[in-house]
Amino acid sequence: DPCRNFHCKRGRVCQAGEQGKPSCICQDPAACPSAKDYERVCGTDNKTYDGTCQLFGTKCQLEGTKIGHQLHLDYMGACKYIPHCSDYEVDQFPLRMRDWLKNILMQHYERDQDTSGFLTEKQRNKVKKIYQNEQRLAAGQHSVELLLHDFEKNYRMYVYPVHWQFYQLDQHPADRSLTHSELAPLRASLVPMEHCITRFFQECDGDRDRLVTLKEWCHCFEIKD
């Protein structure tokens, strides 16, 4: 099978030509496997698609057009009303995101106690110090005042989770800057719960070059130079 090890980008599938030469053609959205309700996604055109296969197949068929260029994965789940993000909310957003990233690392650390694989040994050593100090905060929802006080008092505990998340996203390629595609997995999963995340990432791109550098990322999370 000439297509066995032939890779096509999302929205395209491999097809063998007359002489057996593989090439990539657009995925027919109608031929995508049926998706469950929880697999639906919302596109930036505010249309609900039955999974990423249908979304990216549609984008491929519209390639070369303005609509196709602007069509991306907006967020996971069916399209719904996303409230406007106020100036006050976006100002408070880094507080919640820093705390959330720290809690994600806590969960990875706890799971690694039963089965390894989430964190490397070097990462575990860094997170261990944060984990041992985590009892300072009560479990559950934290007020803005408590998060701000804890960030000022225990600043160093928040630096590594911010760096860690950037590293997790900066993979294709690993060049110390995040493209729209690299940000998409994080942003798309959080939009339904954190309606300010789109505006937050837009404002992180200070020079509007459609790339979020490590320096811009840290500045957004109020991490010092």
Side-chain angles (χ1 to χ4, degrees), residues 64-79:
T65 68
K66 183 178 180 180
I67 297 176
H69 179 71
Q70 295 176 339
L71 179 59
H72 299 285
L73 169 64
D74 198 2
Y75 53 87
M76 310 304 291
C79 295

Side-chain angles (χ1 to χ4, degrees), residues 21-173:
K21 186 176 181 180
S23 63
C24 294
I25 62 171
C26 287
Q27 166 75 54
D28 179 5
C32 288
S34 58
K36 307 292 184 182
D37 286 345
Y38 62 83
E39 294 176 318
R40 291 180 176 176
V41 297
C42 185
T44 47
D45 56 354
N46 203 34
K47 292 182 180 179
T48 298
Y49 293 84
D50 290 333
T52 55
C53 173
Q54 189 181 90
L55 169 65
F56 288 105
T58 301
K59 177 178 174 63
C60 181
Q61 291 189 335
L62 294 171
E63 192 171 89
T65 68
K66 183 178 180 180
I67 297 176
H69 179 71
Q70 295 176 339
L71 179 59
H72 299 285
L73 169 64
D74 198 2
Y75 53 87
M76 310 304 291
C79 295
K80 65 178 184 178
Y81 171 70
I82 303 296
H84 171 72
C85 177
S86 68
D87 292 344
Y88 174 78
E89 288 176 312
V90 81
D91 286 343
Q92 304 303 318
F93 190 78
L95 295 172
R96 298 197 305 276
M97 275 294 288
R98 287 193 305 255
D99 190 55
W100 181 73
L101 292 176
K102 181 163 61 67
N103 287 331
I104 291 294
L105 277 177
M106 298 300 101
Q107 293 174 18
H108 285 338
Y109 183 84
E110 288 180 338
R111 291 172 185 171
D112 272 5
Q113 294 179 2
D114 299 322
T115 174
S116 61
F118 288 100
L119 301 172
T120 65
E121 189 62 31
K122 183 177 180 181
Q123 289 173 335
R124 279 184 57 80
N125 290 334
K126 286 181 175 292
V127 178
K128 181 178 180 179
K129 298 175 183 178
I130 305 173
Y131 184 83
Q132 291 173 339
N133 284 278
E134 182 55 18
Q135 304 307 316
R136 297 170 288 101
L137 290 176
Q141 295 292 322
H142 307 317
S143 68
V144 168
E145 292 76 16
L146 178 61
L147 291 177
L148 182 59
H149 173 73
D150 192 63
F151 178 62
E152 292 172 348
K153 183 180 178 182
N154 301 285
Y155 169 79
R156 293 180 61 84
M157 297 297 171
Y158 290 88
V159 175
Y160 182 69
V162 172
H163 286 176
W164 170 81
Q165 181 63 83
F166 186 91
Y167 167 77
Q168 294 296 112
L169 297 172
D170 183 27
Q171 300 290 334
H172 307 291

Side-chain angles (χ1 to χ4, degrees), residues 2-18:
C3 285
R4 178 172 296 178
N5 296 314
F6 193 77
H7 177 72
C8 295
K9 67 179 184 178
R10 298 182 79 171
R12 295 177 178 272
V13 292
C14 180
Q15 182 183 69
E18 294 181 357

Side-chain angles (χ1 to χ4, degrees), residues 210-224:
R210 300 181 65 83
L211 294 173
V212 177
T213 64
L214 177 59
K215 185 175 182 179
E216 288 175 327
W217 175 270
C218 289
H219 177 74
C220 277
F221 284 98
E222 300 171 355
I223 301 299
K224 302 169 187 175

